[in-house]
């Protein structure tokens, strides 16, 4: 029976083939249908706010776009050299951000020099912890150190370094954390170094938090939405599950996300806790409030609520550094850049106290130089943190905040009176008589203002800089001063080296850093030395490319 059936099927097939051949001889076959259109470069699955993966729904199939460099940096000119006889007072806000260091490292590890505007020298210096002594019990929340030494950058000049050390806090005595995560889940966050890395970073942070701390999650893409109501860290599985459900896709309504995050943080505001919004993004806001000035105004108003802001940047190609720096500086905030899981551990685990718990708000520094001792000065870095002279005593003017255990360093390059290294020619008709100044042993007078967290009135600290703060040789300077100087020189070289003498370069930086590494538990200082080698190589390759283009 089976054989008969197979034979019948074969006969029918032969007959059909013959019939088709006969028809083909009498008629013209219609043209084949057109091929389907090619798939788009990026296929993103539309999803509800939060882009949470629904149970049983297939995962979105996405193809990562080709990388395109659209990073944005604020165009800032380096601080100029100033004559003490004309402008003896320098005023600026402290800066504890570290974003520039990690971002510059990312470029160097890719084999290229970073854009000069991406290099903020104060953030390179303040990436490192220094061995400043802790403030005495019962005194101000931070200690200050000052050191004067010959400048290795140029003969005939000196460096004046000011170091601030914030008081550390006992983990058992710290206040609870009330944290609202604002996570960018737009399409630009698709790549592994963005949203996936951000989720890993938060998981690391959870391990350092207390069970009674609370976390809420707000997301934004084409719209903004609440994904997780304030939840205690004791329910870690619930928090991690909410993180794992996040998917990237859509445009970027970052401004609307900020509105919602602050609103949620205000609803759950706790007087006995540190209330903070933490924004995790590449900074590519393109829907809703996206104008930098509007965002700045919005965040500046919200800082009056007592809610602090942390900004964590991720990724490359369309990293909007300018946007994130602006909102961090105006929102009682700090900014960091996360390029690796190791950096995430540094920022959100090892340095969590300094990045979460404020011990002093609106910290300002004002330095008055003595024209009898100092002819010229230049503040290295802090270009985006400069203040007017009258801002120092105005408690309504916002400034940077210091977190628990954080150290801050500022460096001035000064030219002593009588040195041949002065850079500004004297005026023919100007008043160059410095005998009117007090001819004491003081080089400068340093003043600091700060507010206790939540307070409206500042406290003033003062100290003179005298010959007792000076050493005659670089080798005799404290270890922290020598290493900070090496990092400052590294930043100057990345900016082109115009402010450095001809005898100072990459080898000088390495020698200075290697001689001042000291204890290096996590290898950050050893990594810095390696980065100077990568920078030297990238600089040489850039010079060869330039030479080839000219030929």
């Amino acid at each position: 029976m089976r054989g008969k059936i197979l034979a019948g099927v074969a006969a029918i097939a032969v007959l059909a083939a013959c019939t088709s051949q006969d028809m083909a001889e009498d008629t013209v076959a219609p043209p084949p249908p057109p091929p389907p259109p090619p798939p788009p470069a990026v296929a993103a699955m539309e999803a509800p706010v939060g882009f949470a993966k629904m149970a049983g729904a297939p995962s979105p199939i996405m193809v990562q776009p080709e990388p395109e460099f659209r990073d944005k940096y604020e165009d800032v000119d380096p601080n100029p050299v100033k004559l003490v006889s004309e402008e003896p007072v320098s005023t600026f806000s402290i800066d504890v951000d570290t974003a520039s260091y990690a971002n510059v490292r990312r470029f160097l590890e890719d084999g290229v020099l970073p854009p000069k505007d991406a290099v903020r020298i104060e953030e390179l210096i303040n990436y490192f912890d220094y061995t400043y002594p802790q403030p005495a019990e019962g005194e101000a929340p931070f200690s200050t150190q000052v050191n004067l030494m010959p400048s290795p950058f140029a003969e005939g000049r000196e460096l004046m370094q000011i170091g601030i050390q914030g008081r550390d806090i006992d983990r058992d005595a710290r206040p609870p954390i009330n944290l609202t995560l604002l996570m960018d889940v737009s399409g630009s966050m698709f790549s592994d170094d963005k949203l996936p890395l951000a989720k890993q970073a938060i998981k690391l942070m959870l391990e350092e938090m207390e069970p009674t701390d609370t976390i809420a999650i707000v997301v934004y893409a084409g719209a903004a939405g609440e994904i997780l109501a304030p939840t205690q860290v004791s329910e870690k599985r619930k928090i991690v599950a909410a993180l794992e459900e996040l998917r990237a896709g859509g445009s970027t309504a970052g401004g609307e996300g900020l509105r919602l995050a602050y609103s949620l943080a205000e609803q759950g505001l706790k007087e006995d806790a540190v209330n903070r919004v933490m924004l995790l993004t590449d900074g590519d806001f393109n829907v809703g409030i996206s104008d930098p000035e509007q965002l700045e105004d919005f965040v500046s108003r919200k800082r009056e609520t007592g809610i602090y802001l942390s900004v964590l940047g991720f990724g490359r190609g369309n990293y909007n550094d300018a946007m994130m720096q602006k909102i961090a500086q105006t929102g009682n905030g700090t900014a960091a850049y996360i390029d690796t899981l190791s950096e995430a551990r540094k920022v959100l685990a090892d340095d969590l106290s300094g990045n979460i718990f404020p011990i002093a708000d609106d910290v300002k520094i004002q330095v008055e130089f003595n024209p009898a001792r100092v002819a010229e000065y230049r503040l290295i870095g802090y270009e985006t943190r400069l203040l007017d002279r009258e801002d120092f005593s105005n408690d309504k003017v916002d400034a940077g905040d210091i977190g628990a255990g954080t150290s801050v360093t500022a460096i001035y390059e000064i030219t002593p009176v009588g040195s041949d290294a002065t850079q500004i020619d004297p005026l023919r008709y100007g008043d160059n008589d410095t005998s009117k100044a007090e001819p004491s042993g003081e080089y400068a007078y340093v003043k600091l203002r700060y507010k206790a967290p939540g307070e409206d009135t500042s406290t003033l600290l003062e100290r003179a800089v005298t010959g007792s703060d000076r050493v005659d040789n670089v080798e005799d300077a404290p270890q922290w001063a020598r290493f900070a100087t090496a990092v400052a020189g590294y930043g100057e070289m990345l900016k082109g080296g115009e402010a450095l003498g001809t005898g100072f370069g990459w080898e000088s930086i390495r020698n200075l850093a290697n001689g001042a590494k000291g204890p290096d538990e996590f290898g950050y200082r050893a990594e810095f030395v390696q980065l100077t080698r990568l920078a030297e190589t990238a600089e040489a390759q850039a010079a060869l490319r330039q030479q080839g283009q000219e030929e």
Side-chain angles (χ1 to χ4, degrees):
M1 178 65 69
R2 182 180 179 187
K4 291 179 179 181
I5 292 173
L6 292 175
V9 171
I12 292 171
V14 170
L15 180 61
C18 293
T19 302
S20 298
Q21 183 175 0
D22 293 341
M23 292 176 64
E25 293 174 355
D26 298 332
T27 63
V28 178
V42 179
M45 184 177 71
E46 293 295 329
V49 170
F51 296 83
K53 179 183 175 183
M54 303 301 292
S59 298
I61 301 174
M62 306 182 76
V63 178
Q64 186 173 355
E66 290 296 319
E68 179 183 356
F69 186 83
R70 293 185 289 118
D71 290 4
K72 298 177 183 178
Y73 300 96
E74 184 177 359
D75 185 10
V76 179
D77 294 328
N79 289 326
V81 176
K82 296 188 176 182
L83 279 171
V84 176
S85 60
E86 295 179 355
E87 194 171 344
V89 179
S90 170
T91 310
F92 64 97
S93 161
I94 62 99
D95 187 358
V96 297
D97 294 345
T98 60
S100 181
Y101 185 91
N103 187 34
V104 164
R105 177 179 61 200
R106 180 253 297 189
F107 279 100
L108 295 179
E109 290 180 343
D110 285 346
V112 296
L113 290 173
K116 291 182 181 180
D117 288 329
V119 181
R120 292 183 292 274
I121 298 179
E122 74 278 6
E123 294 186 21
L124 307 185
I125 296 170
N126 291 325
Y127 183 83
F128 299 93
D129 293 326
Y130 298 100
T131 54
Y132 303 139
Q134 282 284 315
E137 202 62 41
E139 295 185 359
F142 46 80
S143 64
T144 53
Q145 314 295 315
V146 179
N147 179 78
L148 272 167
M149 69 179 190
S151 173
F153 302 159
E155 188 175 353
R157 298 179 195 148
E158 298 188 353
L159 297 181
M160 187 181 86
Q161 304 188 23
I162 304 170
I164 300 175
Q165 176 63 52
R167 188 191 309 280
D168 213 345
I169 60 173
D170 186 351
R171 177 164 182 157
D172 296 332
R174 73 164 177 78
I177 301 171
N178 182 30
L179 183 63
T180 301
L181 299 177
L182 175 56
M183 302 191 69
D184 184 350
V185 293
S186 63
S188 66
M189 292 289 287
F190 174 78
S191 59
D192 289 341
D193 60 347
K194 293 187 178 182
L195 182 59
L197 180 57
K199 293 194 286 187
Q200 289 180 293
I202 296 303
K203 293 175 189 176
L204 286 175
M205 183 181 67
L206 288 173
E207 299 301 320
E208 301 299 318
M209 298 177 71
E210 296 296 324
T212 54
D213 294 335
T214 60
I215 284 185
I217 301 178
V218 173
V219 299
Y220 65 90
E226 177 184 330
I227 293 300
L228 182 70
T231 302
Q232 288 197 338
V233 174
S234 57
E235 298 185 70
K236 191 178 301 182
R237 287 188 176 181
K238 183 177 180 181
I239 298 171
V240 171
L243 288 171
E244 291 297 343
E245 293 297 311
L246 300 182
R247 299 289 185 269
S251 52
T252 319
E256 299 308 313
L258 277 172
R259 284 185 188 275
L260 182 57
Y262 271 107
S263 176
L264 188 61
E266 289 173 20
Q267 292 174 26
L269 194 70
K270 299 178 181 178
E271 292 185 3
D272 61 340
V274 173
N275 299 279
R276 185 176 289 269
V277 170
M278 181 177 288
L279 169 63
L280 299 90
T281 180
D282 60 5
D284 186 21
F285 294 3
N286 52 40
V287 172
I289 303 177
S290 58
D291 178 73
E293 291 187 3
Q294 291 184 27
L295 279 169
E296 186 178 355
D297 291 342
F298 172 75
V299 172
S300 66
R301 291 194 300 270
K302 287 301 180 181
R303 70 170 177 247
E304 304 301 326
T305 63
I307 298 171
Y308 293 84
L309 176 68
S310 294
V311 181
L312 302 184
F314 292 84
R316 64 190 69 196
N318 63 333
Y319 172 58
N320 193 339
D321 178 85
M323 173 78 74
M324 291 188 285
Q325 286 294 314
K326 187 66 69 177
I327 61 176
Q329 290 182 9
T330 56
N332 277 356
T334 57
Y337 178 79
I338 309 293
D339 58 335
T340 63
L341 193 59
S342 175
E343 185 65 16
R345 181 177 298 279
K346 180 181 186 300
V347 172
L348 294 177
D350 300 338
D351 296 341
L352 182 64
S353 292
N355 290 317
I356 292 290
F357 301 106
I359 59 172
D361 292 345
D362 294 341
V363 183
K364 307 169 188 175
I365 298 178
Q366 187 169 82
V367 180
E368 180 184 356
F369 290 96
N370 181 0
R373 301 297 300 270
V374 181
E376 300 170 345
Y377 69 89
R378 176 177 65 93
L379 176 60
I380 299 177
Y382 291 93
E383 284 86 358
T384 64
R385 295 285 190 164
L386 299 179
L387 298 173
D388 293 330
R389 182 174 175 178
E390 61 271 20
D391 292 340
F392 181 74
S393 299
N394 187 350
D395 285 344
K396 293 184 179 180
V397 174
D398 184 57
D401 308 319
I402 290 182
T406 301
S407 61
V408 183
T409 303
I411 303 177
Y412 285 92
E413 185 177 50
I414 65 175
T415 307
V417 170
S419 171
D420 294 333
T422 54
Q423 300 173 72
I424 301 175
D425 291 335
L427 294 174
R428 177 180 178 86
Y429 305 109
D431 182 5
N432 298 313
D433 183 10
T434 60
S435 61
K436 300 175 184 177
E438 177 63 33
S440 65
E442 294 183 3
Y443 286 82
Y445 198 70
V446 178
K447 297 190 291 187
L448 293 95
R449 280 195 179 275
Y450 73 94
K451 299 174 186 172
E455 297 296 327
D456 296 326
T457 305
S458 65
T459 300
L460 175 66
L461 301 177
E462 305 171 275
R463 67 156 292 178
V465 182
T466 68
S468 62
D469 298 308
R470 187 181 183 280
V471 295
D472 293 330
N473 300 293
V474 174
E475 295 76 14
D476 296 331
Q479 183 186 84
W480 65 265
R482 287 179 282 129
F483 193 83
T485 298
V487 182
Y490 164 77
E492 295 282 16
M493 287 291 289
L494 290 174
K495 280 185 167 291
E498 289 87 353
L500 302 175
T502 55
F504 191 88
W506 295 114
E507 185 176 359
S508 302
I509 294 170
R510 282 193 290 274
N511 291 339
L512 193 57
N514 278 320
K517 277 197 299 189
D520 189 22
E521 181 180 1
F522 300 112
Y524 298 136
R525 298 191 177 201
E527 179 194 55
F528 167 76
V529 174
Q530 180 60 25
L531 289 179
T532 67
R533 297 185 185 279
L534 294 179
E536 186 175 18
T537 301
E539 183 183 67
Q541 291 177 340
L544 287 174
R545 286 194 296 270
Q546 180 67 28
Q547 182 180 355
Q549 292 172 358
E550 292 175 352
E551 292 177 354

